[in-house]
Amino acid sequence: MERQSEKPPRHWTRIAKDATTGLTEAGRRPPLLAGETLLTMQRGVGLYDGASRCAAFDSGACWTSSHRILWISDTDGDVLALPHERIFSVAVAGGFGQFMPAALKSSPKITLTLSNYFISSSSELNGTAPETSASNVTWKCSICDAYNPDNIRICAQCGVKRDPSTSSPATAQLPQPLSASEKQCPVCTFINHSDVFFCEACDSRFPSAQSSSKLESSALGSKGSLQSASAQNILDDDDLMVKLSFRQGGINEFAKALKGAISSKEWEKTQKSAAEIDGILPSSLESATKSLNISSSGGGGISGIIKKVDQTNQVLDKTLSNAFQDLDALMSKASDMTKMAQSISARLAAASSSNSGGALSVEDPELIAFRSFLVDLGISSPVTKEMTGDAYTQELAKELSEFLGKVIKRYGGIIALTDLYCIFNRARGVALISPQDLQKSVAQFERMRLPFRMRKFDSGLLVVHSSDYSDDAIATRILNHIQSAKVASVTDDWGVGLTSLDVASREGVSIVLAKELLLITEKYGLICRDDSVEGIRFYRNSFVEIE
Amino acid sequence: MRKRGIQGLTHQHAVKSQLERVGNELNQQQLEQLKGQLALFKQNLEQFSIKYKNEIRSNPQFRAHFQSMCTSIGVDPLASNKGFWAELLGVGDFYYELAVQIAEICLATRERNGGLIDLQDLKGHLSKMRGSKAQKISDEDIAQAVKSMATLGSGFEIIKFGSRKMVQSQPRELNTDYETVMTVAQDTGYITVAGAAASLSWDVDRVEHVLTRLLQDGVCWTDQQVHPPQFWVASFFSDF
């Protein structure tokens, strides 16, 4: 939790943890907005604040979705986001020195240039203003004497680390206005004309107290309501730059997916409300019947209504046949067709419920009920192999663990792996996983410290269970059962003990599982058995106490 | 012109009923049309999901849209046909998909049949679920699909009752049927197949299966001297 105080690099916003999922931090997955789909991810990505590396955000998994870039910290599951709509351009800079020693190596980086329209208009500025003003304080490199902004720890000129002992921050003074037309550079004392912003001799930037005039000419041109106080620092190129360093490769795939997502502007489509599609498909059935009832006095509008309904149907038919011409046609109309599908089924459901005669569904009621349960749990953006590369198994394990968190209660805290295979795949939809994939991911649970475990029974059955079925929890519960059975019976000191059938009815589980639970407790030496012709009864182990 | 009196009332009534008739007709027509559109949509989706399976899978955004279309229209997106490798080696997505479908049917009907379903029943459900465009499923396909889930432990198996084949989907560890049968036996100490089937309103098959397994485990003892045979629960003996 300490890290929560660490401020994210500029332009990134932290996404608060969702307490409801109850996942451990290791299992943190990207939280999605409505209509958002995950596209690809890459591990080992570090963030830069301007030109400098952020130690606190140095290693994480970076996802690009259709709407945002999401970065999840490896260490504590901290999630940062940067919406695509703010990105102006994407540039890839290949790294160098792959064969050189680590100190000289540079990983390939993606540099995102943000459009300043959004910076100036968004509330983001509250966070950025104090940080950028800090860059006015400079420090002098002990090796090459170059002046660097305070937020950079490595000299921009020679690449040597800042030596904290010798280089005290050289406080940036405002340029000395010697006269109306001249000012002195605070770094090299060269006397410049008062209109310049960079020293002509040493190239250092003048602190921006007086540079607002320049701002007004450029930034204000596009956006009228800039507050000069907060906008002072935007103009520096660094301030509009966000860098991602890819230390484990995969940069080209990531950049490709990112560019695709930015150009397709999916976020704009989801913002459009369903109203638009309703415009194409007026819910003519209801409106037609309503207007029929209303118009009972005149009856003049009936032919008009019939005509309108006919027209709507024609439009619908045409849209349908156009969209299904080929895959490209369907892809380009995908979101419209999705809404149309929903509208058709909703209207059909409404119409058939009012006309009680029409039995529509060909499927069994049992299956429909089961489906509706699964639809609620649908995984909107399932993890795939193409998306995650070699992190596939781990990411799948996280997704699975999130899913289990929602369903396992319904199964009493324990579920057979085969059942899980079915419902998990149904929730994922088209993105089928193989039984082997599932088995591998489940095997990762313990290593990744996710809150579920796999157990193998003697019969060969594999189950996944929640912490309710950890050995400790089982032993505690069984001992409680034995204790309460002993209290209930007053016959003798030992009580009546418990059979697996008793435990089954107390726990609401099968006899085989109950027996398994008893055997686990017995293994711990907490209970002992009385093996007779009537079956096995278990009693509390008092032999331990005698010694 | 507005008519008055009884004549006016009957006229009004006539107009109203006529309007109602027209309204109903329109409704009916609309419903038919909607059904037609749904069928067309469904047919197209089924065709597409088979034809462009790989393209749909490799594009995450489109996949999400396609998925939601399938859900609202009622098309199973996992109904591809047997490819070359599936035919030859019995591996691949075809069997994985089939496995998901089989498991779903078993899960959905479990409440009623206790995780025991006749193979022919299952096939009927499957062909409905997979839609008209998909290939027919044979017994061997089902056996192969069940086998493909072997890595997930022994949750599913095909068992034989004489000439009938059943798919058992609920492993004993997670099946409370055994306990239920024994609860019935609790009052009298013994139980007959017909008696249990009647009191639980289960299939005779289901009861027989449970009792056979209980006998094997030694939880139950059987008395063959009487007719019909009685099954006594050993752990209840002490109560008599």
Side-chain angles (χ1 to χ4, degrees):
Chain A
M1 288 299 120
E2 223 173 282
R3 268 280 306 283
Q4 286 300 311
S5 56
E6 193 83 42
K7 202 171 208 164
R10 272 171 292 164
H11 311 303
W12 292 89
T13 31
R14 174 175 275 126
I15 295 175
K17 292 194 182 188
D18 185 5
T20 53
T21 59
L23 278 183
T24 53
E25 300 190 328
R28 192 91 194 273
R29 300 196 60 242
L32 293 186
L33 306 169
E36 189 176 9
T37 36
L38 291 174
L39 300 177
T40 189
M41 70 87 77
Q42 182 57 47
R43 283 192 292 184
V45 176
L47 301 185
Y48 276 62
D49 187 352
S52 59
R53 195 167 162 167
C54 304
F57 303 93
D58 207 34
S59 169
C62 199
W63 292 81
T64 175
S65 75
S66 53
H67 291 40
R68 297 176 293 179
I69 299 179
L70 292 157
W71 182 89
I72 305 177
S73 166
D74 283 344
T75 46
D76 57 4
D78 207 8
V79 179
L80 304 181
L82 183 70
H84 285 343
E85 58 181 346
R86 287 192 40 192
I87 298 173
F88 178 69
S89 72
V90 179
V92 178
F96 64 90
Q98 262 77 352
F99 307 106
M100 291 189 201
L104 298 175
K105 216 151 81 175
S106 160
S107 307
K109 288 175 188 66
I110 288 183
T111 307
L112 308 169
T113 313
L114 306 182
S115 48
N116 57 11
Y117 172 85
F118 279 101
I119 299 184
S120 50
S121 61
S122 73
S123 55
E124 189 83 4
L125 266 178
N126 308 340
T128 60
E131 280 172 79
T132 41
S133 63
S135 71
N136 287 338
V137 182
T138 55
W139 57 277
K140 190 175 159 191
C141 175
S142 56
I143 304 294
C144 69
D145 281 357
Y147 285 90
N148 294 292
D150 198 44
N151 58 349
I152 294 182
R153 273 169 295 157
I154 298 169
C155 173
Q157 186 154 308
C158 66
V160 169
K161 269 193 187 157
R162 175 181 182 179
D163 184 355
S165 59
T166 56
S167 59
S168 59
T171 31
Q173 299 129 1
L174 295 181
Q176 304 296 316
L178 296 177
S179 65
S181 61
E182 289 177 327
K183 59 183 174 187
Q184 192 180 30
C185 172
V187 176
C188 69
T189 69
F190 183 78
I191 294 168
N192 291 280
H193 189 267
S194 65
D195 285 348
V196 299
F197 299 99
F198 293 90
C199 172
E200 285 178 74
C202 71
D203 244 8
S204 63
R205 190 163 68 98
F206 290 147
S208 47
Q210 293 160 350
S211 59
S212 51
S213 57
K214 183 183 167 191
L215 270 170
E216 273 152 9
S217 58
S218 60
L220 278 180
S222 60
K223 185 79 182 166
S225 60
L226 270 184
Q227 296 171 352
S228 58
S230 55
Q232 276 166 14
N233 305 299
I234 313 173
L235 278 181
D236 192 344
D237 280 350
D238 259 13
D239 292 346
L240 286 173
M241 217 104 88
V242 171
K243 269 199 209 171
L244 305 166
S245 175
F246 286 71
R247 310 218 168 88
Q248 289 177 23
I251 188 166
N252 290 326
E253 295 78 13
F254 193 90
K256 197 178 151 205
L258 181 61
K259 282 175 185 165
I262 292 171
S263 63
S264 75
K265 291 196 165 61
E266 197 68 26
W267 62 90
E268 284 180 2
K269 287 175 198 159
T270 35
Q271 279 164 9
K272 288 183 202 163
S273 62
E276 192 179 325
I277 194 82
D278 284 344
I280 309 170
L281 316 162
S283 50
S284 43
L285 189 62
E286 293 85 0
S287 62
T289 44
K290 255 182 216 155
S291 43
L292 264 183
N293 293 336
I294 294 163
S295 65
S296 56
S297 59
I302 292 180
S303 62
I305 291 164
I306 294 175
K307 216 182 214 169
K308 198 182 155 209
V309 170
D310 275 352
Q311 274 172 354
T312 328
N313 276 323
Q314 272 169 12
V315 171
L316 261 174
D317 284 344
K318 212 171 162 190
T319 331
L320 253 176
S321 56
N322 279 342
F324 278 102
Q325 263 167 3
D326 58 27
L327 192 67
D328 288 336
L330 186 62
M331 276 189 179
S332 61
K333 295 199 183 84
S335 52
D336 286 350
M337 292 307 284
T338 311
K339 281 170 196 155
M340 184 162 156
Q342 282 157 2
S343 129
I344 287 182
S345 68
R347 284 164 65 199
L348 206 49
S352 62
S353 65
S354 60
N355 282 32
S356 51
L360 276 166
S361 66
V362 284
E363 289 196 70
D364 312 88
E366 280 166 339
L367 270 179
I368 290 172
F370 187 69
R371 277 274 167 80
S372 66
F373 153 65
L374 285 182
V375 165
D376 296 340
L377 296 169
I379 296 169
S380 62
S381 196
V383 168
T384 62
K385 247 182 204 140
E386 296 86 42
M387 200 191 273
T388 52
D390 42 347
Y392 178 56
T393 313
Q394 280 90 329
E395 288 304 321
L396 196 62
K398 285 185 198 170
E399 182 180 289
L400 188 58
S401 149
E402 189 181 59
F403 178 73
L404 276 171
K406 288 189 250 172
V407 297
I408 204 152
K409 278 219 174 68
R410 195 184 141 104
Y411 288 86
I414 189 161
I415 181 172
L417 220 50
T418 39
D419 292 6
L420 180 63
Y421 176 66
C422 169
I423 60 171
F424 187 50
N425 260 319
R426 278 304 185 203
R428 285 170 58 92
V430 189
L432 182 84
I433 61 163
S434 70
Q436 286 79 10
D437 286 343
L438 179 70
Q439 206 255 331
K440 276 185 213 153
S441 311
V442 169
Q444 293 282 329
F445 279 174
E446 187 149 9
R447 210 179 59 79
M448 293 176 67
R449 292 197 298 271
L450 294 169
F452 300 98
R453 292 288 176 273
M454 184 170 78
R455 188 186 288 279
K456 187 170 186 171
F457 288 101
D458 291 341
S459 63
L461 175 73
L462 292 172
V463 294
V464 172
H465 61 83
S466 64
S467 52
D468 288 350
Y469 284 90
S470 69
D471 286 357
D472 288 350
I474 290 171
T476 319
R477 283 212 304 276
I478 294 289
L479 277 185
N480 281 341
H481 288 319
I482 289 189
Q483 195 60 39
S484 64
K486 190 178 164 187
V487 169
S489 76
V490 281
T491 46
D492 58 51
D493 288 349
W494 298 104
V496 290
L498 284 181
T499 62
S500 41
L501 187 61
D502 297 332
V503 174
S505 64
R506 278 162 189 269
E507 286 270 307
V509 297
S510 71
I511 301 166
V512 185
L513 184 59
K515 193 171 173 192
E516 193 78 23
L517 300 184
L518 282 167
L519 291 179
I520 288 166
T521 319
E522 190 189 27
K523 219 179 279 174
Y524 275 88
L526 295 168
I527 53 175
C528 53
R529 64 169 81 190
D530 176 15
D531 206 336
S532 76
V533 71
E534 289 166 19
I536 308 174
R537 299 190 90 83
F538 287 90
Y539 296 87
R540 212 162 74 85
N541 187 3
S542 302
F543 296 111
V544 198
E545 289 157 22
I546 291 169
E547 298 201 8
Chain B
M1 189 191 114
R2 213 177 182 92
K3 290 175 184 170
R4 286 164 196 277
I6 293 175
Q7 202 195 355
L9 281 176
T10 45
H11 178 75
Q12 236 178 35
H13 185 70
V15 167
K16 203 179 163 195
S17 65
Q18 215 165 4
L19 277 172
E20 249 168 35
R21 196 171 49 77
V22 175
N24 281 340
E25 254 171 40
L26 198 62
N27 251 339
Q28 205 58 45
Q29 212 183 332
Q30 183 76 6
L31 193 63
E32 288 306 313
Q33 221 136 19
L34 272 175
K35 275 186 197 167
Q37 278 158 359
L38 186 79
L40 186 68
F41 214 129
K42 195 166 181 172
Q43 193 189 346
N44 279 324
L45 272 182
E46 280 173 1
Q47 215 168 354
F48 265 58
S49 78
I50 293 172
K51 205 165 154 192
Y52 298 111
K53 190 177 129 199
N54 291 330
E55 286 88 338
I56 291 170
R57 271 197 202 172
S58 57
N59 181 339
Q61 258 164 42
F62 182 64
R63 193 177 56 207
H65 284 304
F66 193 81
Q67 173 69 33
S68 117
M69 274 186 248
C70 284
T71 316
S72 31
I73 296 296
V75 171
D76 191 340
L78 299 182
S80 66
N81 285 336
K82 245 188 269 187
F84 173 74
W85 292 111
E87 201 81 69
L88 201 67
L89 299 172
V91 294
D93 287 355
F94 171 77
Y95 288 109
Y96 299 154
E97 288 173 4
L98 195 59
V100 173
Q101 285 159 344
I102 292 172
E104 185 178 9
I105 292 166
C106 290
L107 284 177
T109 55
R110 193 177 274 173
E111 296 268 301
R112 180 163 54 84
N113 61 21
L116 207 60
I117 189 170
D118 192 281
L119 202 62
Q120 299 312 315
D121 268 3
L122 181 66
K123 260 200 320 207
H125 282 291
L126 270 180
S127 67
K128 254 191 243 168
M129 189 188 261
R130 293 171 63 83
S132 52
K133 295 278 174 221
Q135 281 172 342
K136 287 276 158 291
I137 299 299
S138 69
D139 289 6
E140 287 74 41
D141 289 336
I142 294 181
Q144 186 63 42
V146 169
K147 222 164 113 190
S148 76
M149 285 193 281
T151 37
L152 301 178
S154 57
F156 271 73
E157 54 185 332
I158 297 180
I159 47 179
K160 281 183 187 161
F161 282 103
S163 61
R164 284 175 75 190
K165 278 186 190 163
M166 314 277 277
V167 175
Q168 194 204 357
S169 65
Q170 192 150 30
R172 282 207 55 185
E173 282 84 346
L174 304 179
N175 191 343
T176 47
D177 273 10
Y178 301 89
E179 201 218 329
T180 316
V181 169
M182 286 165 79
T183 327
V184 176
Q186 205 153 20
D187 299 331
T188 47
Y190 73 91
I191 200 174
T192 62
V193 173
S199 63
L200 294 169
S201 58
W202 286 2
D203 290 347
V204 175
D205 281 340
R206 187 171 169 186
V207 180
E208 255 174 9
H209 179 70
V210 168
L211 286 174
T212 319
R213 296 297 289 271
L214 286 176
L215 267 185
Q216 284 171 355
D217 287 357
V219 177
C220 265
W221 295 4
T222 177
D223 182 359
Q224 303 276 6
Q225 302 286 323
V226 288
H227 187 78
Q230 292 172 347
F231 294 84
W232 291 77
V233 182
S235 55
F236 295 152
F237 287 174
S238 59
D239 299 344
F240 296 100

